Amino acid sequence: MAKSGKKDPNSSDIPAKLAGIELTTPEAAALCGISRQRLETFVKEGAVTRKAPNSYALGELVPQVMARLRADRRSSSQSQADNRVRQARAAQIELATAMKARELIPLTDAAAAIDAICGVVRTEAAGIAPRCTRDVGLRRTIETEVNDSLTRIARRQRQIGHALRQGRDLVDAVASNDSGPMGNAEPDLSGMGRPAGTA
């Protein structure tokens, strides 16, 4: 219950003709826009006083209920702020754990890995023609095809790097069909290294 002699908020501003009005529990709840159960809870917690069972003084009821509702809003706002802080901390911990387990790596590491793989491919591809034939004409044909392939790989490398920086899906980054014809009657080579139109 409220302490004896404690002045309710704004009670001095309530006209005397309203201060003397008494309300029943249903009337008090309806006036304050809350349920009867919530009003009874306020009474049990000491936030709202009543003159007698099922009797509330209007002059005391309204300021007390308003004060309690304001306190509830402040508490709710603080709880939401606390939840946001906890969620941010949890996200930081999850990120740190993923990086420690190498489930997540820095963008620079991913780009360096792509560069290393492409470098190996280019080095190996440079020796294909000499290993295949001694015929100068055929060797030049092979070298032309190999160089065309390396050019496409370099283009894909740039697209993948751009997609990584933007956070895009890597499959979408190399899915466009701009690699050009493979030669003769063969279908075009898609961005994924397969004949265009195949799964």
Side-chain angles (χ1 to χ4, degrees):
M1 300 293 290
K3 293 183 179 179
S4 176
K6 184 177 180 181
K7 191 175 183 180
D8 294 324
N10 304 322
S11 61
S12 60
D13 299 332
I14 299 175
K17 63 181 180 180
L18 296 180
I21 297 177
E22 295 186 13
L23 303 172
T24 64
T25 298
E27 291 171 339
L31 176 66
C32 295
I34 59 177
S35 66
R36 294 176 57 181
Q37 292 77 10
R38 193 173 189 189
L39 179 59
E40 292 290 348
T41 299
F42 290 172
V43 173
K44 292 178 181 179
E45 294 175 350
V48 174
T49 59
R50 56 187 175 190
K51 301 187 64 176
N54 197 37
S55 178
Y56 297 83
L58 177 62
E60 296 177 352
L61 171 72
V62 174
Q64 290 173 347
V65 170
M66 289 178 62
R68 174 52 194 272
L69 292 177
R70 284 195 294 267
D72 284 351
R73 284 196 295 270
R74 286 193 297 270
S75 177
S76 176
S77 297
Q78 184 61 45
S79 296
Q80 291 176 0
D82 291 343
N83 285 337
R84 287 193 294 271
V85 171
R86 284 193 293 268
Q87 290 172 356
R89 288 176 179 172
Q92 289 178 342
I93 293 173
E94 183 178 358
L95 179 61
T97 301
M99 293 183 69
K100 186 176 181 180
R102 300 299 290 176
E103 296 174 354
L104 186 67
I105 63 173
L107 179 59
T108 53
D109 289 358
I114 295 173
D115 289 342
I117 293 171
C118 289
V120 171
V121 170
R122 180 172 291 276
T123 300
E124 290 296 322
I128 291 177
R131 290 196 299 268
C132 289
T133 182
R134 294 182 180 181
D135 183 278
V136 176
L138 182 57
R139 181 180 295 185
R140 288 177 179 174
T141 299
I142 295 174
E143 288 175 345
T144 298
E145 292 299 326
V146 168
N147 288 335
D148 287 345
S149 295
L150 292 175
T151 299
R152 289 193 293 268
I153 291 173
R155 181 164 57 246
R156 293 303 181 215
Q157 180 185 7
R158 291 193 297 270
Q159 291 174 337
I160 291 173
H162 187 62
L164 283 174
R165 288 189 293 272
Q166 292 187 328
R168 292 167 47 210
D169 188 280
L170 298 185
V171 174
D172 293 339
V174 295
S176 59
N177 178 23
D178 62 352
S179 296
M182 292 179 63
N184 298 327
E186 297 294 330
D188 290 354
L189 185 66
S190 75
M192 298 301 293
R194 297 185 298 264
T198 63

